[in-house]
Amino acid sequence: MINNIAEIEPLLKAATKPKIIITTHHKPDADALGSSLGLYNFFLELGIVSTVISPTDYGNFLKWMPGEKSVLNFEQSPETCVKLTQEADFVFCLDFNSLSRINKFGEVVRASSAKKVLIDHHLEPEGFQDYGLWSTEASSTCELIYLFIEKLNCVHLINANIAECLYAGIMTDTASFKHNNTTATTHRVAAQLLKAGASSTKIYEAIYDNFSPERTRLIGFALNEKMQILREYSTALICLTADELKKFQVSTGDTEGLVNYGLSIKGIKLSVLIIDRLAARKMSFRSKGSFPANEFARTYFNGGGHFSAAGGESSEPIEAVEKKFKSLLKNYSTILCN
Ligand code: 5GP
Ligand code: MN
């Protein structure tokens, strides 16, 4: 646990108009963008206009979040993002802990003389921060943002905009309060956010009930025609080629959640999705029991993540990635067969 974030309170208060950048990991999910915009809206309550910079674009299912229109995309406006980061007093790094996770923007952050503030719940922080609130016990970065606001004695400032953003990240990172990262603190924080004006139904619908027909059909296609069940390794595998992604007009965020279906099959302990993105083959791993998804992703596929939910990538063709993945499974047969 890293917990010296309270030390920035006097610095924040001393600065007349602190220049603050908030950034998060590439292709932000609801926890990444929700924590960023939750903090952005909180700073507004303190009279501070901060800037949220996303290293890349993100899914349409996040575009309802209050403040979202002000988010800068580093890939679209690199010069502005570099200038703002160079001039910043503070850079808040949320929901990631290694600067390589924010692509080229990572080196811009590293080179900035701004104080770096880490708020995150992933394993193995790189250690680039000056101040941090880091705990792998937290359900989500949104939960940690709430705890940060609580440390500042500012819970009374949490309005509906802040509450909606934070609730969204807690809801999605716990898979609707289902995963074992859901603690008593998670429920206490969620309850406070509901009291502050977040609507659980509205947020659920905004995130989960806004699929395009193509995205819904892609799920059917992937499960019916593409899912391989490797019984001897208790593994489900889906590989989607570039042509298939094109056919279903897949855009950013559309394959989110697809990897989870495999795990709902009785006896399956590892579910894997390999998708053929233009830049690289992107892999998602979800496991049950003692299969270390993060270690596997890190060792073989240049990735990482949580013990049971991790990701990685490869520059090789999708067929080669599929073959390599399958050949590696035998090293884990003891874990997967029991
Ligand atoms: P997803 O499968 O949803 O893309 O990612 C699941 C989790 O794995 C993320 O929350 C993140 O912690 C981690 N992850 C995904 N892709 C990568 C990657 O390329 N590198 C690292 N270090 N972690 C990743
Ligand atoms: Mn998260």
PDB file of all heavy atoms in Angstrom, residues 315-335:
ATOM      1  N   SER A 315       2.890  -8.749 -31.778  1.00  0.00           N
ATOM      2  CA  SER A 315       2.957  -8.165 -33.121  1.00  0.00           C
ATOM      3  C   SER A 315       2.878  -9.255 -34.194  1.00  0.00           C
ATOM      4  O   SER A 315       2.853  -8.972 -35.378  1.00  0.00           O
ATOM      5  CB  SER A 315       4.258  -7.372 -33.270  1.00  0.00           C
ATOM      6  OG  SER A 315       5.333  -8.215 -32.956  1.00  0.00           O
ATOM      7  N   GLU A 316       2.805 -10.512 -33.770  1.00  0.00           N
ATOM      8  CA  GLU A 316       2.757 -11.609 -34.744  1.00  0.00           C
ATOM      9  C   GLU A 316       1.355 -11.757 -35.350  1.00  0.00           C
ATOM     10  O   GLU A 316       0.376 -11.283 -34.778  1.00  0.00           O
ATOM     11  CB  GLU A 316       3.156 -12.916 -34.050  1.00  0.00           C
ATOM     12  CG  GLU A 316       4.621 -12.946 -33.691  1.00  0.00           C
ATOM     13  CD  GLU A 316       5.024 -14.262 -33.073  1.00  0.00           C
ATOM     14  OE1 GLU A 316       4.627 -15.315 -33.604  1.00  0.00           O
ATOM     15  OE2 GLU A 316       5.725 -14.231 -32.060  1.00  0.00           O
ATOM     16  N   PRO A 317       1.235 -12.447 -36.500  1.00  0.00           N
ATOM     17  CA  PRO A 317      -0.092 -12.674 -37.092  1.00  0.00           C
ATOM     18  C   PRO A 317      -0.977 -13.472 -36.134  1.00  0.00           C
ATOM     19  O   PRO A 317      -0.458 -14.254 -35.321  1.00  0.00           O
ATOM     20  CB  PRO A 317       0.195 -13.495 -38.350  1.00  0.00           C
ATOM     21  CG  PRO A 317       1.652 -13.382 -38.593  1.00  0.00           C
ATOM     22  CD  PRO A 317       2.318 -13.029 -37.300  1.00  0.00           C
ATOM     23  N   ILE A 318      -2.284 -13.302 -36.269  1.00  0.00           N
ATOM     24  CA  ILE A 318      -3.217 -13.899 -35.297  1.00  0.00           C
ATOM     25  C   ILE A 318      -3.089 -15.427 -35.247  1.00  0.00           C
ATOM     26  O   ILE A 318      -3.173 -16.027 -34.172  1.00  0.00           O
ATOM     27  CB  ILE A 318      -4.672 -13.424 -35.551  1.00  0.00           C
ATOM     28  CG1 ILE A 318      -5.557 -13.828 -34.363  1.00  0.00           C
ATOM     29  CG2 ILE A 318      -5.227 -13.895 -36.876  1.00  0.00           C
ATOM     30  CD1 ILE A 318      -6.846 -13.045 -34.251  1.00  0.00           C
ATOM     31  N   GLU A 319      -2.824 -16.056 -36.396  1.00  0.00           N
ATOM     32  CA  GLU A 319      -2.708 -17.530 -36.408  1.00  0.00           C
ATOM     33  C   GLU A 319      -1.513 -17.964 -35.542  1.00  0.00           C
ATOM     34  O   GLU A 319      -1.589 -18.958 -34.812  1.00  0.00           O
ATOM     35  CB  GLU A 319      -2.493 -18.069 -37.839  1.00  0.00           C
ATOM     36  CG  GLU A 319      -3.630 -17.803 -38.806  1.00  0.00           C
ATOM     37  CD  GLU A 319      -3.645 -16.379 -39.357  1.00  0.00           C
ATOM     38  OE1 GLU A 319      -2.635 -15.651 -39.204  1.00  0.00           O
ATOM     39  OE2 GLU A 319      -4.690 -15.974 -39.917  1.00  0.00           O
ATOM     40  N   ALA A 320      -0.422 -17.196 -35.649  1.00  0.00           N
ATOM     41  CA  ALA A 320       0.779 -17.535 -34.875  1.00  0.00           C
ATOM     42  C   ALA A 320       0.530 -17.322 -33.380  1.00  0.00           C
ATOM     43  O   ALA A 320       0.994 -18.113 -32.547  1.00  0.00           O
ATOM     44  CB  ALA A 320       1.952 -16.681 -35.341  1.00  0.00           C
ATOM     45  N   VAL A 321      -0.223 -16.283 -33.055  1.00  0.00           N
ATOM     46  CA  VAL A 321      -0.518 -15.991 -31.643  1.00  0.00           C
ATOM     47  C   VAL A 321      -1.377 -17.112 -31.060  1.00  0.00           C
ATOM     48  O   VAL A 321      -1.125 -17.606 -29.959  1.00  0.00           O
ATOM     49  CB  VAL A 321      -1.232 -14.619 -31.496  1.00  0.00           C
ATOM     50  CG1 VAL A 321      -1.548 -14.335 -30.041  1.00  0.00           C
ATOM     51  CG2 VAL A 321      -0.371 -13.503 -32.074  1.00  0.00           C
ATOM     52  N   GLU A 322      -2.363 -17.538 -31.843  1.00  0.00           N
ATOM     53  CA  GLU A 322      -3.249 -18.634 -31.403  1.00  0.00           C
ATOM     54  C   GLU A 322      -2.423 -19.902 -31.156  1.00  0.00           C
ATOM     55  O   GLU A 322      -2.585 -20.572 -30.124  1.00  0.00           O
ATOM     56  CB  GLU A 322      -4.326 -18.886 -32.479  1.00  0.00           C
ATOM     57  CG  GLU A 322      -5.241 -20.041 -32.139  1.00  0.00           C
ATOM     58  CD  GLU A 322      -6.334 -20.270 -33.183  1.00  0.00           C
ATOM     59  OE1 GLU A 322      -6.497 -19.439 -34.095  1.00  0.00           O
ATOM     60  OE2 GLU A 322      -7.026 -21.310 -33.073  1.00  0.00           O
ATOM     61  N   LYS A 323      -1.529 -20.196 -32.076  1.00  0.00           N
ATOM     62  CA  LYS A 323      -0.699 -21.400 -31.963  1.00  0.00           C
ATOM     63  C   LYS A 323       0.206 -21.324 -30.724  1.00  0.00           C
ATOM     64  O   LYS A 323       0.313 -22.277 -29.949  1.00  0.00           O
ATOM     65  CB  LYS A 323       0.152 -21.528 -33.244  1.00  0.00           C
ATOM     66  CG  LYS A 323       0.600 -22.915 -33.517  1.00  0.00           C
ATOM     67  CD  LYS A 323       1.131 -23.034 -34.935  1.00  0.00           C
ATOM     68  CE  LYS A 323       2.079 -24.222 -34.980  1.00  0.00           C
ATOM     69  NZ  LYS A 323       3.026 -24.162 -36.061  1.00  0.00           N
ATOM     70  N   LYS A 324       0.832 -20.159 -30.558  1.00  0.00           N
ATOM     71  CA  LYS A 324       1.736 -19.994 -29.410  1.00  0.00           C
ATOM     72  C   LYS A 324       0.948 -20.157 -28.108  1.00  0.00           C
ATOM     73  O   LYS A 324       1.376 -20.858 -27.188  1.00  0.00           O
ATOM     74  CB  LYS A 324       2.370 -18.592 -29.469  1.00  0.00           C
ATOM     75  CG  LYS A 324       3.246 -18.272 -28.260  1.00  0.00           C
ATOM     76  CD  LYS A 324       3.930 -16.909 -28.410  1.00  0.00           C
ATOM     77  CE  LYS A 324       4.599 -16.503 -27.098  1.00  0.00           C
ATOM     78  NZ  LYS A 324       5.148 -15.158 -27.138  1.00  0.00           N
ATOM     79  N   PHE A 325      -0.235 -19.524 -28.052  1.00  0.00           N
ATOM     80  CA  PHE A 325      -1.051 -19.623 -26.832  1.00  0.00           C
ATOM     81  C   PHE A 325      -1.373 -21.081 -26.513  1.00  0.00           C
ATOM     82  O   PHE A 325      -1.197 -21.548 -25.380  1.00  0.00           O
ATOM     83  CB  PHE A 325      -2.342 -18.799 -26.984  1.00  0.00           C
ATOM     84  CG  PHE A 325      -3.348 -19.122 -25.928  1.00  0.00           C
ATOM     85  CD1 PHE A 325      -3.121 -18.714 -24.611  1.00  0.00           C
ATOM     86  CD2 PHE A 325      -4.475 -19.876 -26.197  1.00  0.00           C
ATOM     87  CE1 PHE A 325      -4.014 -19.049 -23.608  1.00  0.00           C
ATOM     88  CE2 PHE A 325      -5.370 -20.217 -25.204  1.00  0.00           C
ATOM     89  CZ  PHE A 325      -5.137 -19.798 -23.900  1.00  0.00           C
ATOM     90  N   LYS A 326      -1.817 -21.808 -27.536  1.00  0.00           N
ATOM     91  CA  LYS A 326      -2.214 -23.206 -27.302  1.00  0.00           C
ATOM     92  C   LYS A 326      -1.016 -24.045 -26.843  1.00  0.00           C
ATOM     93  O   LYS A 326      -1.147 -24.900 -25.968  1.00  0.00           O
ATOM     94  CB  LYS A 326      -2.823 -23.798 -28.570  1.00  0.00           C
ATOM     95  CG  LYS A 326      -4.236 -23.273 -28.840  1.00  0.00           C
ATOM     96  CD  LYS A 326      -4.785 -23.895 -30.095  1.00  0.00           C
ATOM     97  CE  LYS A 326      -6.228 -23.523 -30.316  1.00  0.00           C
ATOM     98  NZ  LYS A 326      -6.691 -23.885 -31.663  1.00  0.00           N
ATOM     99  N   SER A 327       0.154 -23.786 -27.439  1.00  0.00           N
ATOM    100  CA  SER A 327       1.320 -24.603 -27.074  1.00  0.00           C
ATOM    101  C   SER A 327       1.767 -24.315 -25.632  1.00  0.00           C
ATOM    102  O   SER A 327       2.378 -25.163 -24.993  1.00  0.00           O
ATOM    103  CB  SER A 327       2.460 -24.377 -28.055  1.00  0.00           C
ATOM    104  OG  SER A 327       3.036 -23.121 -27.810  1.00  0.00           O
ATOM    105  N   LEU A 328       1.462 -23.121 -25.132  1.00  0.00           N
ATOM    106  CA  LEU A 328       1.871 -22.773 -23.766  1.00  0.00           C
ATOM    107  C   LEU A 328       0.993 -23.430 -22.700  1.00  0.00           C
ATOM    108  O   LEU A 328       1.404 -23.581 -21.550  1.00  0.00           O
ATOM    109  CB  LEU A 328       1.812 -21.250 -23.578  1.00  0.00           C
ATOM    110  CG  LEU A 328       2.884 -20.457 -24.331  1.00  0.00           C
ATOM    111  CD1 LEU A 328       2.532 -18.977 -24.335  1.00  0.00           C
ATOM    112  CD2 LEU A 328       4.245 -20.690 -23.692  1.00  0.00           C
ATOM    113  N   LEU A 329      -0.216 -23.809 -23.107  1.00  0.00           N
ATOM    114  CA  LEU A 329      -1.170 -24.319 -22.115  1.00  0.00           C
ATOM    115  C   LEU A 329      -0.656 -25.561 -21.381  1.00  0.00           C
ATOM    116  O   LEU A 329      -0.951 -25.762 -20.206  1.00  0.00           O
ATOM    117  CB  LEU A 329      -2.516 -24.629 -22.781  1.00  0.00           C
ATOM    118  CG  LEU A 329      -3.403 -23.407 -23.065  1.00  0.00           C
ATOM    119  CD1 LEU A 329      -4.652 -23.847 -23.806  1.00  0.00           C
ATOM    120  CD2 LEU A 329      -3.772 -22.691 -21.769  1.00  0.00           C
ATOM    121  N   LYS A 330       0.138 -26.363 -22.099  1.00  0.00           N
ATOM    122  CA  LYS A 330       0.596 -27.608 -21.452  1.00  0.00           C
ATOM    123  C   LYS A 330       1.448 -27.334 -20.210  1.00  0.00           C
ATOM    124  O   LYS A 330       1.482 -28.119 -19.277  1.00  0.00           O
ATOM    125  CB  LYS A 330       1.290 -28.549 -22.438  1.00  0.00           C
ATOM    126  CG  LYS A 330       2.509 -27.999 -23.104  1.00  0.00           C
ATOM    127  CD  LYS A 330       3.058 -29.055 -24.063  1.00  0.00           C
ATOM    128  CE  LYS A 330       4.238 -28.549 -24.882  1.00  0.00           C
ATOM    129  NZ  LYS A 330       3.958 -27.339 -25.679  1.00  0.00           N
ATOM    130  N   ASN A 331       2.107 -26.148 -20.187  1.00  0.00           N
ATOM    131  CA  ASN A 331       2.891 -25.791 -18.984  1.00  0.00           C
ATOM    132  C   ASN A 331       1.995 -25.568 -17.767  1.00  0.00           C
ATOM    133  O   ASN A 331       2.481 -25.506 -16.649  1.00  0.00           O
ATOM    134  CB  ASN A 331       3.683 -24.494 -19.204  1.00  0.00           C
ATOM    135  CG  ASN A 331       4.610 -24.584 -20.399  1.00  0.00           C
ATOM    136  OD1 ASN A 331       4.952 -25.687 -20.815  1.00  0.00           O
ATOM    137  ND2 ASN A 331       5.003 -23.454 -20.949  1.00  0.00           N
ATOM    138  N   TYR A 332       0.716 -25.368 -18.030  1.00  0.00           N
ATOM    139  CA  TYR A 332      -0.205 -25.033 -16.931  1.00  0.00           C
ATOM    140  C   TYR A 332      -1.228 -26.135 -16.705  1.00  0.00           C
ATOM    141  O   TYR A 332      -2.231 -25.914 -16.051  1.00  0.00           O
ATOM    142  CB  TYR A 332      -0.917 -23.706 -17.233  1.00  0.00           C
ATOM    143  CG  TYR A 332       0.036 -22.527 -17.170  1.00  0.00           C
ATOM    144  CD1 TYR A 332       0.828 -22.191 -18.265  1.00  0.00           C
ATOM    145  CD2 TYR A 332       0.177 -21.789 -16.000  1.00  0.00           C
ATOM    146  CE1 TYR A 332       1.733 -21.136 -18.203  1.00  0.00           C
ATOM    147  CE2 TYR A 332       1.069 -20.733 -15.930  1.00  0.00           C
ATOM    148  CZ  TYR A 332       1.846 -20.416 -17.030  1.00  0.00           C
ATOM    149  OH  TYR A 332       2.738 -19.377 -16.956  1.00  0.00           O
ATOM    150  N   SER A 333      -0.949 -27.321 -17.265  1.00  0.00           N
ATOM    151  CA  SER A 333      -1.977 -28.361 -17.211  1.00  0.00           C
ATOM    152  C   SER A 333      -2.324 -28.751 -15.770  1.00  0.00           C
ATOM    153  O   SER A 333      -3.483 -29.029 -15.465  1.00  0.00           O
ATOM    154  CB  SER A 333      -1.587 -29.567 -18.042  1.00  0.00           C
ATOM    155  OG  SER A 333      -0.360 -30.045 -17.587  1.00  0.00           O
ATOM    156  N   THR A 334      -1.351 -28.715 -14.864  1.00  0.00           N
ATOM    157  CA  THR A 334      -1.653 -29.109 -13.474  1.00  0.00           C
ATOM    158  C   THR A 334      -2.684 -28.139 -12.883  1.00  0.00           C
ATOM    159  O   THR A 334      -3.656 -28.572 -12.263  1.00  0.00           O
ATOM    160  CB  THR A 334      -0.373 -29.074 -12.607  1.00  0.00           C
ATOM    161  OG1 THR A 334       0.717 -29.461 -13.417  1.00  0.00           O
ATOM    162  CG2 THR A 334      -0.501 -29.943 -11.398  1.00  0.00           C
ATOM    163  N   ILE A 335      -2.450 -26.869 -13.078  1.00  0.00           N
ATOM    164  CA  ILE A 335      -3.362 -25.864 -12.516  1.00  0.00           C
ATOM    165  C   ILE A 335      -4.729 -25.957 -13.182  1.00  0.00           C
ATOM    166  O   ILE A 335      -5.776 -25.910 -12.533  1.00  0.00           O
ATOM    167  CB  ILE A 335      -2.794 -24.439 -12.734  1.00  0.00           C
ATOM    168  CG1 ILE A 335      -1.548 -24.228 -11.893  1.00  0.00           C
ATOM    169  CG2 ILE A 335      -3.842 -23.371 -12.420  1.00  0.00           C
ATOM    170  CD1 ILE A 335      -0.877 -22.871 -12.085  1.00  0.00           C
TER     171      ILE A 335
END
